[in-house]
Amino acid sequence: MSLVTLPFYQKRHRHFDQSYRNIQTKYLMDEYMARKQAATQMSTRTATSAHSATSARTATSATSRAHAASSQNVSSQTSSGGTTCRLCAKRVSAEEEEQESKSRYRSLVASYGEAKRQRFLSELAQLEEDVHLARSQARDKLDKYALQQMVADTAAWERHVFEERLSRAPEILVRLRSHTVWEKMSVKLCFTVQGFPTPVVQWYKDGSLICQAGEPGKYRIDSKYGVHTLEINRASFEDTATYSAVATNVHGQVSTNAAVVVRRYRGDEEPFFSVGLPIGLPLAVVTPYMHFDVQFLEKFGVTFRTEGETVTLKCTLLVTPELKRVQPRVEWYRDDVLLTETQWTKMFFGEGQASLSFSHLHKDDEGLYTLRVVSRGGVSDHSAFLFVRDADPLVTGAPGAPMDLRCHDANRDYVIVTWKPPNTTTESPVIGYFVDRCEVGTNNWIQCNDAPVRICKYPVTGLCEGRSYIFRVRAVNSAGVSRPSRVSDAVAALDPVDLRRLQAIHLEGEKEIVIYQDDLEGEVQVPGPPTDVHAAEVSRTYVVLSWEPPVPRGKEPLMYFIEKSVVGSGSWQRVNAQTAVRSPRYAVFDLAEGKPYVFRVLAANKYGLSDPSEITPPIQAQDTTVVPSAPGRVLASRNTKTSVVVQWDRPKHEEDLLGYYVDCCVAGTSVWEPCNHKPIGYNRFVVHGLTTGEQYIFRVKAVNAVGTSENSQESEVIKVQAALTVPSRPYGVTLLNCDGRSMTLGWKVPKFSGGTPILGYYVDKREVHHKNWHEVNASPIQERILTVEGLTEGSLYEFKIAATNLAGIGQPSDPSEHFMCEAWTAPEPGPAYDLTFCEVRDTSLVLLWKAPVYSGSSPVSGYFVDFKEEDSGEWSTVNEAATPNRYLKVCDLHQGRTYVFRVRAVNANGVGKPSDVSEPVLVEARPGTKEISAGVDEEGNIYLGFDCQEMTDASQFTWCKSYEELADPERFRVETEGDHSRLYFTNPDKADLGTYSVSVSDTDGVSSSFVLDEAELERLLTLSNEIKNPTIPLKSELAYEIFDKGQVRFWLQTEPLSPDASFRFVINDREVADSETHRMKFDKSTGMIEMVMDRFTIENEGTYTVQIQDGKAKTQSSLVLIGDAFRAVLEEAEFQRKEFLRKQGPHFAEYLHWDVTEECEVRLICKVANTKKETVFKWLKDDVLCETETPPDLEKGVCELLIPKLSKKDHGEYKATLKDERGQDTSTLEIAGKVYEDMILAMSRVCGMSASPLKVLCTPEGIRLQCFMKFFTEEMKVNWYHKEAKISSSEHLRIGGSEEMAWLQICEPTEKDKGKYTFEIFDGKDNHQRSLDLSGQAFDEAFAEFQQLKAAAFAEKNRGKVIGGLPDVVTIMEGKTLNLTCTVFGNPDPEVTWFKNDQHIELSDHFSVKVEQAKYVSLTIQGVTAEDSGKYSISVKNKYGGEKIDVTVSVYKHGEKIPEATPPQQAKPKLIPAAAAD
C-alpha cells in the first residue's frame, strides 16, 4: 500500500465537506431557523384560537335556526373567516347541534311527538355530517400527500445540488504525530480528516493493513466527529514501525503517517512520565540554548552500494556535557538540501550515535551527505559521498532506471511529469521513455504513452478529478526497457484555481463565513469567454495551452473546448471534440511539424457555450530546448590514494542543464565506466573508489531534458596517488655528541614526504630565552645528522629542523629540548638514535637503530632493547644478552596494544645513556599487508619479489640483508617497475642464506622480510634447474586403483605429449610388455598411461616404475608396493573380488545405519539390491523376529524400522537379513554404548530445534517453567541456568520432565528467584537454548497467580466438605425411621446446616440432628410420613467455603409397590464459595 500525501494547495484547503462553513455561522443559522419555526407555530395557534371564539359567538345567536340552515351558516362563516379549516367547522356544527338539542328538550319536555321528531332529525343530520366529514378527510389527505410529494422532489433536487457543491476530496486537518514510548505502555495515534462524502479510513503498519480480528485486544480503532484514533495496547518492541492512515472517498485519497518507537529499559534508563499524559513518553529532543562540545569518534566514509540494497550512514559522537533529556540538534543534508524522514529514509540520534538508514536504495539517493550537529557552541559537521550503482537490468543491455521523478502543474485532469535521464556509459543510448500512472490505493499501473517520449518531460492527461495518483518512468533503448524509476510523491487531480475563488466574509465579532466567489456574481448562466490563452510549453510533439477561467463564470461546472487552425487556412478544427476539458490547461498533440498554428478556447456549462476567446499568436511545434554542447577542457588532478579531482569547463550552450555525467577508463583500455549515476550540478567532481597506482583517463558529458551531449575531450592520463604537498615536520631531534664548542644533532625523517623525494633539511638554532632564530645552514643538507659549530660552552641551546621538496619547505619541527653545550667525557657510550620500526605484525615487530656517535672510552660491543606499554611505568628488557646487531625482532607482544622502546649501547665500561624514547607503535598488522615472495622466473632466475600499491612518486624500494642495505652488485640485481620490485640472485649459493628485508619509503611503514634458509634455497634451485633443464610435467604420479572385480589398475598422467613420445613399464627392474596379464594403454593427447592386472597375487609384490621420454624431456614415476603397503592393496583387491561375488545374489547396497526423523523417532535404514519376489527380508532384535506394521517393500530398495521414543529398553543387536535361492546377506547394528549415546544426541538436536519458548505455568506449589518439544527423556544432556549459573535439582528448584516437555519447578518463589532463566539442551555439537526473563512485571504477575493458586489450594484443602456417606436418592416406607449419616471435614470445624426443600429444618422430636466429634453428622426422621418426601440438603461450610449435597427422599405407604429406582449413587456436592460462606 503506497503512502500518499496531498499537494501543497490541498493542504491549505479547509472546506471540502458539509462543514465547510464557519462553525459559529452554522450555529447562528440553526438558532435563526429554530426561532423562525417557533414564531410560525405561535401565529398558527393564535389564529386558531381567534377563529374558535368567533364561531362560538355565532352559534349562540342562531339557536332557533334549523339544522340545515345552521350548517349553511357555519359554511358561510368559515368562508368569510378565511382562516377556519373544515375540521374546525365540523367541530363548531357539532357544538351548535348540542346547544339546539338542549334548548328543544327544555322547551318540549312534555311533548313526546316533538322528541320523536327531534330524534329523527338528529339522526339524519348526524348521517349527513358523517358523509361530509369523510369527504373532507379524504380531500385533506390527497392535498397533504400532493404537498409532501412536491416538497420531497424539491428537497431531493436541492440536496443533489447542495451535495454537488459540497462534494470534496478528503483533507487532513490534524496529522498524525510520532511517539516514543516505553515497552508495555499503550499509545494512541489520532488525526482529523474532513470530506464529503464522509471518507473511509484504513490503518496500515509498515504498509500492511491492520486487522483488529487478527490480534484481538491488540488494536482499538475508533472514529467520532471526524477524529480517527488507533490505540495500541501494551506496545512491544515489535510494534516499532511506521503507521499510516489512509482516508478515501469517491473524490480522492489522502494519507498521513507517523513513527512509533518502542524502547526497552536499559540499566539506568527509567521511563519519564510527563505530567498530564496517560502514557510514559521521553521528552522531545530540542535544540537547547547551551554549549555542547561535539567530537566525531567514528565517521562514515565514501560508500558504494547498488540499487535495492540497504545501507546505514552512521557516526559515533562524543557530546559533552552528556545530558539525557537535552541534546543538540542533528541535521542531515544531501547536496546541501535538508533531509526529512520518508518511507525510504529513517533517522536516529541517541546513545552516542547519529545514523541515516536507507531501506531500499535508488539512484535518487546518490549524493554528498553531510551530518551537522548544531548547538550554541557552533556547528560540527562531516561529509562523505554515497554512490548508488544501477541494479542489474531485467534485460541484458537495457539502460538504467530514470531518477528524480517530479510532478508539476497538477490540475483536474492532467499533470506534467519530469525526470532525469540515466547514464548510459556501457549501454546503447536511450531512445525514449514510457510514463506509467497508478491510482493511489491500487496496484494497477497504466502506461500513459503508446510511443516512447524522447524528452524528460511529459504531460499526463485523462486523470479523474479529485483522485490521487503516483507515477513512474521507464527508459527504452535498442536492447529493451529498464527497471522503473522510484515512484513519485502522490499528487491529487485538483485545480489550484479553486482556492482563489474562495472568500471569507466577516460577520459581527469574530464570526466569518467562507463562500465561493460565484455566490457574489449573481445569476450567471452562459459563461464568458476564457482569457489570456497562451502556450505554456512548446515541444516538437505537443503544445501545452494555458488560460484563465472566464469572469464571471457562474455557479455551474465549467468545461472547455479547444480549437486549432493552421495559419492562413481560415478553418477551425475542434481538438477535444470527444472529451471535455475541465482544467484551464491542455496539451495538444498530433501537430504537423513545421506548420504554425493558432488556437482559441470556448467555455461551456449546462446553459450553453461561450464566445471564443481571443486567438493566440502563431505557434509552431518545435523543440525550444536542444541537446547541450559538449563540456570543455577536462583537467584531472591528484587528490588521495583512491580518488582524483576532475574539473571541466562548462559547455557553451548550457540550456536548462540538469547536470553532468563523468566517466573513467583505465589507461590503455577502451572500457569506460560511469563515475556518478545521478547528474551533478557543478563542474567539479571528486571521483572515488579508484585503484591506487593505476592510471586513468576521464571524460564528461552534459545532460538536459532533451538528452546528453557528446563526450568531452579526454583528460590527460593521471596516476592515482596522493596530491603533492610539502613534507611534514621532522621530529625526534636528539643530541648525539658535544665537545664544548660544537654539538652533533640527529633527527628522524618526516612521516610524509609530500609525494615527492625530500631534497634536504634546514636547521635553525637559538640560545634559550632568546627570541630570534638563526640559520645554521644556508643550503639544504642531505644527511639527517649535523654538527653545529661555533657554540658557547656552558650555554643552553634549542634547535628546529624543516624539510624541503619540490613543493617547497615544510613546517619546522617543534623546538628541541634545551641542550647544554658542555663536553662529553663519560667512559660509557652515548645514546643510539634514529629508532625506527618495520614489519609491524599482530604480535611482533622489528626495531632498527643507528650506532651512537659518541662511543665512550672503548668501542661499542652490543645493545640492550627496553620496552613498555605506552602508559606503563616500568621498562622491561627484551634481550638478556647484548645483541651486536643494530636491529632486533621483538616477539610475543599483545595485539592491539601500544608500546614504546629505547636502546642502550654497551662497551667495556658499562651500559651507556639510553636513547630517546621511540614514538608509540600499535602492534597490529595493517589491512592488506603483503609479504616478500620467493620464486623463479621464466628463465630460471631466482628472485625475491614485493608489491606495494600504496607507493607514491617519492617512494623507493630499499632491499637489505640483515637489515643492512645491499651494496654488492655482483651478487644481487634489483629491478623495479611501477609498484613491483624484485631482488635477483646472480649465482645463488649458501653464502646467500640469511634474512632479507625490503622497505618502501614515503608510505605508512610498508615493509616485509624473508628468511632464506637451506630448505628454501634448495627448493628454488630445484625449480630453477627444472626450468633450465626441462622435464615432462606430471599431472599425477604413478598410482593404483582397484576395480569392483578385484582388478588392479596402475596409471599416471602427464601434460599432453607429442606423437613421438614413448614409455616403458618396469616391474622389479624387469620391463613388461602389453599382454593378457598386463593390459596397457597410452593416450598421448591426454598424457594418460595405464596398465590393468586382472588377478593380483602375492607374487606381484615389488616396485613399479614408468619411464617417459618426449624429445629431450624425460621423467619417471615409481610406486613401491612392499610390505604393509602391498598387503593393503592385496587385501583390498581380494575384498573387492569377494564383494563382486556377494553382489551376484541379494545383498545390501548400504549396510544397516540409523538416523533420527523430524518426529524424533530413530529410524534403522538399509538399502538392498538385486532382489526378486522370492527374496525374504527379516528384522531381528537379539535374534528374535521383529514384527512390523507393514512388510518391507524390496522393490523400492530401502527398508526401514522405526523405534519410537527410544529408551534403554531398546538396547540390543539389530539384524537385517536377505535370503533366496541365490544366497543370503546379513547386516548388523548394535544399539548400545556409543551408538546409543549418539542416537540420544541426534534426538537432542531435533528436540532442541523444535523446542518452544519457555512458558510460565503457575501451580499451588510455585512457578513452573516449561519447554515443550517433540520428545524428551532424562538421558538427554540438558541444563537449567539462573542468571548464567547452573541449577542443580533441589527441594527449592526441582528439575524434571515428561515425554513432551522439560520443566523447572520453583517451589515457594521469593525475590531471589527473579532473573533470567535459560534451558539448554546439548546435541554433541551445538547448544540449543531457550531463555525467559522472569523479572519485573512477568515475575510479579506469576508470583501473584501463584499466591492465588496457593491460597485457593489451601482453601480447597481446608474448606468444609462432605467426605462421604450420603446417597443421592433414598426410598423408605412410611412409619420407618430415616437416618441420613455422613462424615464432614473442615479446618476450622465447619458449620453444618440441614434443609428440606431449601428451607431450614426446625429441630423437634420428629427431626433431630446429631454431630459427634465435629466429624460425624446425622439427621434422624422419626416415623416417616408422606409429607417427609422431598429434597433434603446438608450445607457444610467454614470461612474457606463449603459445599452442599442434595438427597432426594421418597416415602411410600405400607403395601404399595416399592417405586422402581436406579441404584443409589454418591450424591454430588455443590460448591459454596468462601464469600458465600462468610
Side-chain angles (χ1 to χ4, degrees):
M1 179 67 192
S2 302
L3 306 179
V4 298
T5 55
L6 283 176
F8 67 95
Y9 49 81
Q10 275 197 5
K11 293 180 180 178
R12 299 194 304 239
H13 202 308
R14 301 173 55 192
H15 314 288
F16 277 3
D17 66 357
Q18 67 273 26
S19 59
Y20 73 97
R21 296 182 182 273
N22 188 284
I23 295 177
Q24 296 179 355
T25 305
K26 183 178 179 181
Y27 290 158
L28 287 176
M29 295 298 295
D30 292 343
E31 184 179 355
Y32 170 75
M33 293 300 296
R35 291 181 178 177
K36 183 176 180 181
Q37 184 176 2
T40 303
Q41 294 175 354
M42 182 63 71
S43 62
T44 303
R45 287 197 297 270
T46 303
T48 303
S49 301
H51 179 52
S52 299
T54 305
S55 300
R57 289 193 298 269
T58 305
T60 304
S61 61
T63 55
S64 61
R65 298 177 183 176
H67 176 67
S70 297
S71 300
Q72 184 179 1
N73 188 24
V74 170
S75 177
S76 64
Q77 288 178 3
T78 301
S79 302
S80 63
T83 58
T84 303
C85 64
R86 297 183 182 92
L87 186 60
C88 295
K90 297 182 184 75
R91 198 176 292 123
V92 170
S93 299
E95 293 176 356
E96 291 176 354
E97 288 298 325
E98 185 179 359
Q99 293 294 336
E100 182 179 1
S101 177
K102 289 180 180 180
S103 300
R104 287 184 181 278
Y105 276 109
R106 290 190 197 101
S107 59
L108 302 175
V109 175
S111 176
Y112 173 75
E114 182 64 24
K116 187 175 181 179
R117 186 182 66 82
Q118 181 65 27
R119 190 183 308 112
F120 173 76
L121 291 176
S122 178
E123 291 175 358
L124 184 62
Q126 184 65 39
L127 179 61
E128 182 182 2
E129 182 65 22
D130 290 341
V131 173
H132 180 69
L133 180 61
R135 290 177 179 175
S136 299
Q137 288 178 347
R139 186 165 49 251
D140 289 344
K141 287 184 179 180
L142 290 175
D143 292 344
K144 184 178 180 181
Y145 176 78
L147 181 61
Q148 288 178 348
Q149 188 66 31
M150 182 181 65
V151 171
D153 294 341
T154 305
W157 181 82
E158 290 178 349
R159 187 184 306 108
H160 174 73
V161 175
F162 184 70
E163 290 179 356
E164 282 293 324
R165 295 178 59 83
L166 290 183
S167 296
R168 294 293 183 267
E171 180 190 13
I172 295 177
L173 302 181
V174 179
R175 309 189 73 83
L176 290 177
R177 181 172 61 87
S178 295
H179 292 268
T180 301
V181 299
W182 294 101
E183 202 171 19
K184 296 185 180 179
M185 293 181 176
S186 297
V187 61
K188 182 181 289 186
L189 303 177
C190 307
F191 81 104
T192 303
V193 64
Q194 65 178 8
F196 190 82
T198 302
V200 177
V201 175
Q202 290 180 312
W203 292 87
Y204 294 85
K205 174 183 177 183
D206 284 337
S208 299
L209 183 66
I210 293 177
C211 178
Q212 287 180 277
E215 296 184 63
K218 180 67 176 178
Y219 302 104
R220 180 182 177 186
I221 299 175
D222 195 10
S223 175
K224 186 180 294 184
Y225 307 120
V227 178
H228 301 268
T229 59
L230 169 65
E231 184 174 0
I232 306 172
N233 294 318
R234 294 178 60 82
S236 62
F237 190 73
E238 289 73 16
D239 292 321
T240 298
T242 298
Y243 291 84
S244 308
V246 180
T248 309
N249 66 8
V250 295
H251 301 292
Q253 185 181 72
V254 294
S255 70
T256 177
N257 58 72
V260 173
V261 179
V262 182
R263 300 184 63 185
R264 287 178 174 168
Y265 297 111
R266 293 185 182 176
D268 57 350
E269 287 189 3
E270 294 296 336
F272 181 85
F273 295 94
S274 56
V275 178
L277 292 178
I279 57 177
L281 298 175
L283 286 178
V285 177
V286 298
T287 303
Y289 192 68
M290 64 181 297
H291 177 84
F292 284 95
D293 182 20
V294 180
Q295 298 180 17
F296 288 92
L297 303 181
E298 295 181 7
K299 304 177 181 179
F300 61 90
V302 177
T303 306
F304 296 88
R305 288 293 186 274
T306 304
E307 283 184 307
E309 296 181 348
T310 60
V311 70
T312 298
L313 306 181
K314 181 173 64 175
C315 280
T316 303
L317 309 174
L318 177 61
V319 180
T320 309
E322 183 179 358
L323 304 176
K324 287 187 176 181
R325 302 304 181 188
V326 181
Q327 296 286 338
R329 186 174 75 247
V330 171
E331 300 173 342
W332 286 90
Y333 293 82
R334 178 175 62 231
D335 297 329
D336 294 329
V337 177
L338 181 63
L339 298 178
T340 58
E341 282 198 350
T342 66
Q343 59 177 324
W344 315 107
T345 58
K346 301 298 178 186
M347 300 178 185
F348 173 77
F349 175 56
E351 301 177 0
Q353 291 184 352
S355 63
L356 176 64
S357 299
F358 299 86
S359 59
H360 190 280
L361 280 173
H362 199 273
K363 289 184 294 185
D364 300 60
D365 301 315
E366 182 173 283
L368 181 65
Y369 284 83
T370 302
L371 170 63
R372 294 180 182 173
V373 186
V374 183
S375 70
R376 184 182 179 188
V379 178
S380 300
D381 58 10
H382 167 68
S383 300
F385 210 92
L386 171 62
F387 293 89
V388 183
R389 304 183 185 91
D390 283 302
D392 293 336
L394 301 176
V395 179
T396 303
M403 71 211 78
D404 201 12
L405 189 63
R406 299 180 184 273
C407 299
H408 310 273
D409 200 16
N411 247 285
R412 284 193 179 98
D413 50 12
Y414 96 107
V415 66
I416 292 180
V417 180
T418 63
W419 59 92
K420 292 181 180 178
N423 192 356
T424 55
T425 302
T426 58
E427 300 87 13
S428 59
V430 173
I431 60 177
Y433 303 90
F434 285 119
V435 182
D436 303 331
R437 76 169 187 264
C438 176
E439 187 175 341
V440 171
T442 69
N443 267 333
N444 185 21
W445 287 95
I446 300 174
Q447 185 172 300
C448 301
N449 51 320
D450 297 330
V453 58
R454 294 189 177 183
I455 64 173
C456 299
K457 180 186 291 187
Y458 186 73
V460 179
T461 59
L463 306 182
C464 296
E465 183 179 2
R467 300 187 182 181
S468 297
Y469 295 87
I470 54 177
F471 300 89
R472 70 182 187 190
V473 180
R474 296 169 293 147
V476 185
N477 66 1
S478 58
V481 182
S482 73
R483 292 178 179 271
S485 66
R486 176 179 284 176
V487 298
S488 69
D489 292 334
V491 62
L494 293 174
D495 191 354
V497 177
D498 287 344
L499 287 177
R500 300 200 297 267
R501 294 166 51 210
L502 293 174
Q503 286 190 358
I505 299 177
H506 295 275
L507 305 177
E508 58 183 30
E510 297 181 354
K511 301 175 181 177
E512 65 178 14
I513 184 171
V514 179
I515 64 172
Y516 276 92
Q517 188 177 359
D518 309 345
D519 299 331
L520 304 178
E521 294 178 350
E523 294 296 329
V524 177
Q525 294 186 348
V526 178
T531 59
D532 191 22
V533 182
H534 63 281
E537 184 179 346
V538 179
S539 74
R540 188 168 57 88
T541 56
Y542 64 87
V543 172
V544 176
L545 296 178
S546 178
W547 59 88
E548 293 293 331
V551 178
R553 57 169 289 161
K555 298 180 180 180
E556 302 301 329
L558 284 182
M559 297 176 291
Y560 300 98
F561 295 95
I562 296 91
E563 295 180 348
K564 67 179 180 180
S565 173
V566 179
V567 173
S569 66
S571 62
W572 290 92
Q573 178 184 359
R574 181 160 293 181
V575 176
N576 59 325
Q578 302 297 328
T579 305
V581 177
R582 302 189 64 186
S583 302
R585 284 166 184 75
Y586 187 72
V588 181
F589 291 86
D590 300 328
L591 298 178
E593 188 172 355
K595 292 184 179 181
Y597 288 85
V598 291
F599 301 89
R600 66 185 185 185
V601 182
L602 299 88
N605 62 11
K606 70 177 185 178
Y607 294 111
L609 193 67
S610 74
D611 294 331
S613 67
E614 295 183 0
I615 299 174
T616 65
I619 301 171
Q620 184 172 343
Q622 59 185 1
D623 288 332
T624 56
T625 303
V626 297
V627 176
S629 57
R633 183 181 56 172
V634 180
L635 297 176
S637 57
R638 293 162 54 173
N639 187 43
T640 67
K641 294 181 180 180
T642 58
S643 64
V644 167
V645 177
V646 180
Q647 294 177 289
W648 58 90
D649 295 334
R650 296 182 181 274
K652 295 180 181 179
H653 305 288
E654 49 179 341
E655 292 83 359
D656 302 322
L657 276 186
L658 298 177
Y660 302 91
Y661 281 124
V662 182
D663 301 332
C664 69
C665 173
V666 176
T669 68
S670 59
V671 180
W672 289 92
E673 296 291 340
C675 298
N676 61 314
H677 307 84
K678 177 182 177 182
I680 54 174
Y682 32 87
N683 62 334
R684 181 182 184 275
F685 186 66
V686 179
V687 181
H688 291 275
L690 304 178
T691 303
T692 303
E694 191 66 81
Q695 293 183 334
Y696 289 88
I697 302 172
F698 298 89
R699 70 185 185 190
V700 184
K701 52 191 172 187
V703 183
N704 67 3
V706 179
T708 58
S709 69
E710 297 291 333
N711 292 316
S712 67
Q713 294 183 353
E714 297 176 358
S715 68
E716 295 183 357
V717 177
I718 184 172
K719 186 177 182 181
V720 180
Q721 53 190 358
L724 291 178
T725 60
V726 296
S728 59
R729 304 170 185 262
Y731 63 100
V733 182
T734 307
L735 178 61
L736 303 179
N737 194 9
C738 181
D739 59 6
R741 297 179 305 277
S742 65
M743 291 182 179
T744 301
L745 304 174
W747 59 88
K748 293 184 178 181
V749 67
K751 293 183 178 181
F752 301 101
S753 65
T756 183
I758 294 177
L759 302 177
Y761 300 90
Y762 291 97
V763 181
D764 294 338
K765 70 174 181 179
R766 72 176 178 185
E767 289 189 36
V768 177
H769 307 308
H770 286 199
K771 293 183 179 180
N772 297 326
W773 289 89
H774 301 281
E775 186 181 73
V776 174
N777 55 318
S779 59
I781 60 173
Q782 300 292 331
E783 301 295 330
R784 287 184 288 112
I785 186 170
L786 176 66
T787 300
V788 182
E789 304 285 351
L791 304 180
T792 303
E793 188 173 4
S795 299
L796 287 172
Y797 290 89
E798 59 181 350
F799 304 88
K800 64 180 182 180
I801 295 96
T804 181
N805 64 5
L806 289 176
I809 301 175
Q811 291 293 322
S813 65
D814 295 332
S816 68
E817 298 178 5
H818 297 170
F819 297 141
M820 176 66 73
C821 186
E822 58 183 8
W824 288 9
T825 59
E828 295 83 6
Y833 69 100
D834 198 14
L835 275 65
T836 56
F837 304 96
C838 64
E839 303 173 36
V840 180
R841 300 297 185 261
D842 286 338
T843 59
S844 64
L845 56 80
V846 175
L847 177 65
L848 308 175
W849 63 87
K850 292 184 178 179
V853 175
Y854 177 77
S855 60
S857 59
S858 61
V860 174
S861 60
Y863 302 90
F864 287 105
V865 176
D866 303 331
F867 77 103
K868 67 175 183 178
E869 291 193 33
E870 183 178 8
D871 298 328
S872 176
E874 297 183 0
W875 289 92
S876 301
T877 302
V878 178
N879 50 328
E880 296 180 358
T883 177
N885 302 319
R886 292 196 301 277
Y887 65 90
L888 183 67
K889 185 170 185 178
V890 184
C891 301
D892 299 328
L893 301 176
H894 296 284
Q895 182 180 0
R897 297 188 181 179
T898 303
Y899 294 88
V900 292
F901 296 83
R902 71 180 184 186
V903 178
R904 294 174 292 149
V906 182
N907 64 6
N909 297 293
V911 180
K913 179 182 178 182
S915 66
D916 289 346
V917 178
S918 70
E919 67 268 19
V921 58
L922 176 65
V923 180
E924 190 172 68
R926 298 171 64 253
T929 297
K930 294 186 177 181
E931 303 293 348
I932 295 175
S933 61
V936 180
D937 64 10
E938 296 177 353
E939 297 179 358
N941 298 317
I942 298 175
Y943 68 87
L944 301 179
F946 187 72
D947 298 341
C948 176
Q949 296 183 349
E950 293 87 350
M951 65 182 303
T952 64
D953 291 344
S955 300
Q956 292 182 350
F957 290 90
T958 302
W959 287 92
C960 302
K961 182 179 181 182
S962 298
Y963 296 98
E964 294 288 341
E965 189 170 353
L966 296 175
D968 189 354
E970 294 183 358
R971 299 190 63 85
F972 305 101
R973 183 179 82 253
V974 177
E975 293 184 2
T976 300
E977 182 178 353
D979 54 3
H980 314 288
S981 181
R982 287 183 177 182
L983 173 66
Y984 283 93
F985 296 88
T986 306
N987 294 304
D989 55 23
K990 291 186 177 181
D992 294 320
L993 300 178
T995 300
Y996 292 85
S997 63
V998 62
S999 60
V1000 185
S1001 61
D1002 200 41
T1003 60
D1004 190 14
V1006 176
S1007 58
S1008 181
S1009 65
F1010 184 85
V1011 177
L1012 183 64
D1013 54 17
E1014 289 189 14
E1016 182 65 16
L1017 179 61
E1018 183 65 27
R1019 185 188 70 84
L1020 294 173
L1021 288 173
T1022 301
L1023 184 59
S1024 175
N1025 181 63
E1026 291 177 356
I1027 294 175
K1028 293 179 179 180
N1029 302 296
T1031 60
I1032 299 175
L1034 292 175
K1035 287 187 176 180
S1036 63
E1037 295 285 347
L1038 183 61
Y1040 69 88
E1041 179 183 5
I1042 301 176
F1043 291 157
D1044 293 341
K1045 297 181 180 181
Q1047 299 169 321
V1048 179
R1049 171 179 175 258
F1050 294 90
W1051 66 277
L1052 66 77
Q1053 187 175 11
T1054 69
E1055 294 293 337
L1057 302 173
S1058 70
D1060 297 330
S1062 61
F1063 80 99
R1064 297 172 64 235
F1065 215 113
V1066 180
I1067 302 177
N1068 292 330
D1069 298 329
R1070 182 175 63 85
E1071 182 177 358
V1072 295
D1074 184 15
S1075 63
E1076 290 295 329
T1077 56
H1078 302 87
R1079 292 183 283 109
M1080 298 183 186
K1081 290 183 180 179
F1082 182 21
D1083 189 346
K1084 298 177 181 179
S1085 61
T1086 60
M1088 177 66 71
I1089 300 174
E1090 65 176 13
M1091 179 187 70
V1092 177
M1093 300 175 65
D1094 290 335
R1095 187 67 184 269
F1096 197 72
T1097 65
I1098 191 69
E1099 297 176 355
N1100 299 121
E1101 183 177 8
T1103 301
Y1104 295 76
T1105 303
V1106 177
Q1107 298 174 348
I1108 310 171
Q1109 183 172 356
D1110 188 2
K1112 295 182 179 181
K1114 298 180 180 181
T1115 190
Q1116 74 173 23
S1117 179
S1118 298
L1119 178 63
V1120 178
L1121 295 180
I1122 298 175
D1124 292 340
F1126 173 76
R1127 283 190 291 273
V1129 177
L1130 184 61
E1131 291 174 359
E1132 178 67 17
E1134 190 67 20
F1135 172 77
Q1136 291 296 338
R1137 188 177 65 83
K1138 292 180 179 179
E1139 280 291 293
F1140 173 75
L1141 296 177
R1142 181 180 69 88
K1143 293 179 181 178
Q1144 301 309 304
H1147 64 276
F1148 289 98
E1150 288 185 10
Y1151 286 108
L1152 198 59
H1153 59 282
W1154 61 270
D1155 67 2
V1156 176
T1157 67
E1158 291 297 324
E1159 299 302 323
C1160 212
E1161 296 177 332
V1162 175
R1163 178 172 57 185
L1164 303 185
I1165 310 172
C1166 60
K1167 291 186 178 180
V1168 299
N1170 198 16
T1171 60
K1172 58 183 183 178
K1173 293 182 179 180
E1174 292 78 11
T1175 303
V1176 178
F1177 179 89
K1178 295 181 181 180
W1179 287 104
L1180 298 97
K1181 176 187 177 185
D1182 296 332
D1183 295 328
V1184 177
L1185 184 65
C1186 295
E1187 297 294 338
T1188 57
E1189 294 182 0
T1190 57
D1193 188 357
L1194 299 183
E1195 293 183 358
K1196 294 182 179 179
V1198 178
C1199 299
E1200 299 179 355
L1201 177 64
L1202 290 178
I1203 305 177
K1205 300 179 180 179
L1206 181 72
S1207 63
K1208 289 186 177 181
K1209 67 180 181 180
D1210 297 310
H1211 280 201
E1213 184 182 63
Y1214 290 79
K1215 288 183 181 179
T1217 63
L1218 280 171
K1219 185 177 181 180
D1220 61 18
E1221 73 278 1
R1222 296 172 297 167
Q1224 65 179 5
D1225 199 4
T1226 303
S1227 179
T1228 305
L1229 175 65
E1230 184 174 1
I1231 299 180
K1234 183 66 168 54
V1235 175
Y1236 181 76
E1237 294 176 358
D1238 291 342
M1239 289 180 176
I1240 293 295
L1241 292 176
M1243 294 170 63
S1244 299
R1245 184 180 303 110
V1246 176
C1247 295
M1249 296 177 66
S1250 68
S1252 68
L1254 292 184
K1255 298 182 179 180
V1256 178
L1257 176 66
C1258 296
T1259 66
E1261 292 77 21
I1263 300 174
R1264 174 175 290 187
L1265 304 183
Q1266 298 177 335
C1267 181
F1268 292 90
M1269 57 191 71
K1270 292 184 177 179
F1271 178 69
F1272 176 76
T1273 174
E1274 294 184 352
E1275 296 177 3
M1276 294 180 177
K1277 296 181 180 180
V1278 298
N1279 291 305
W1280 288 86
Y1281 296 89
H1282 179 216
K1283 298 179 181 178
E1284 309 302 332
K1286 187 176 179 180
I1287 299 175
S1288 298
S1289 184
S1290 63
E1291 290 296 327
H1292 180 58
L1293 298 172
R1294 298 204 302 269
I1295 297 175
S1298 62
E1299 289 185 354
E1300 295 181 350
M1301 70 174 177
W1303 50 260
L1304 171 66
Q1305 179 74 38
I1306 307 172
C1307 300
E1308 296 294 332
T1310 63
E1311 290 290 329
K1312 294 182 180 180
D1313 296 316
K1314 288 185 177 180
K1316 179 181 177 182
Y1317 286 84
T1318 302
F1319 171 70
E1320 177 183 87
I1321 181 169
F1322 179 65
D1323 63 6
K1325 182 179 179 181
D1326 299 321
N1327 287 320
H1328 303 272
Q1329 294 183 342
R1330 299 293 185 269
S1331 298
L1332 175 68
D1333 188 2
L1334 189 62
S1335 59
Q1337 185 175 353
F1339 180 82
D1340 295 340
E1341 292 176 353
F1343 187 78
E1345 185 177 353
F1346 155 67
Q1347 294 284 22
Q1348 293 176 359
L1349 294 175
K1350 181 179 178 182
F1354 183 81
E1356 176 64 22
K1357 179 180 178 182
N1358 295 283
R1359 70 175 176 83
K1361 60 185 72 174
V1362 177
I1363 297 178
L1366 289 179
D1368 58 347
V1369 176
V1370 175
T1371 303
I1372 189 171
M1373 187 175 68
E1374 191 176 30
K1376 299 288 186 179
T1377 298
L1378 176 64
N1379 190 348
L1380 299 177
T1381 303
C1382 64
T1383 304
V1384 300
F1385 170 79
N1387 187 15
D1389 293 339
E1391 175 187 347
V1392 179
T1393 307
W1394 286 90
F1395 300 87
K1396 177 184 179 184
N1397 296 330
D1398 296 328
Q1399 300 294 325
H1400 282 281
I1401 295 177
E1402 298 294 337
L1403 299 181
S1404 62
D1405 293 339
H1406 187 62
F1407 293 99
S1408 62
V1409 175
K1410 185 179 181 180
V1411 179
E1412 295 180 353
Q1413 302 176 6
K1415 181 177 180 181
Y1416 305 103
V1417 179
S1418 63
L1419 171 65
T1420 303
I1421 306 176
Q1422 299 289 341
V1424 177
T1425 63
E1427 287 78 7
D1428 294 325
S1429 296
K1431 182 181 72 173
Y1432 288 81
S1433 305
I1434 181 174
S1435 172
V1436 181
K1437 60 183 179 180
N1438 60 11
K1439 64 179 182 179
Y1440 297 113
E1443 62 187 29
K1444 184 178 181 181
I1445 292 181
D1446 296 335
V1447 180
T1448 302
V1449 176
S1450 177
V1451 180
Y1452 64 94
K1453 294 182 179 181
H1454 181 72
E1456 291 182 351
K1457 184 180 179 181
I1458 299 176
E1460 293 183 1
T1462 58
Q1465 299 178 357
Q1466 185 74 25
K1468 296 182 179 180
K1470 300 178 182 178
L1471 294 181
I1472 301 176
D1478 293 340

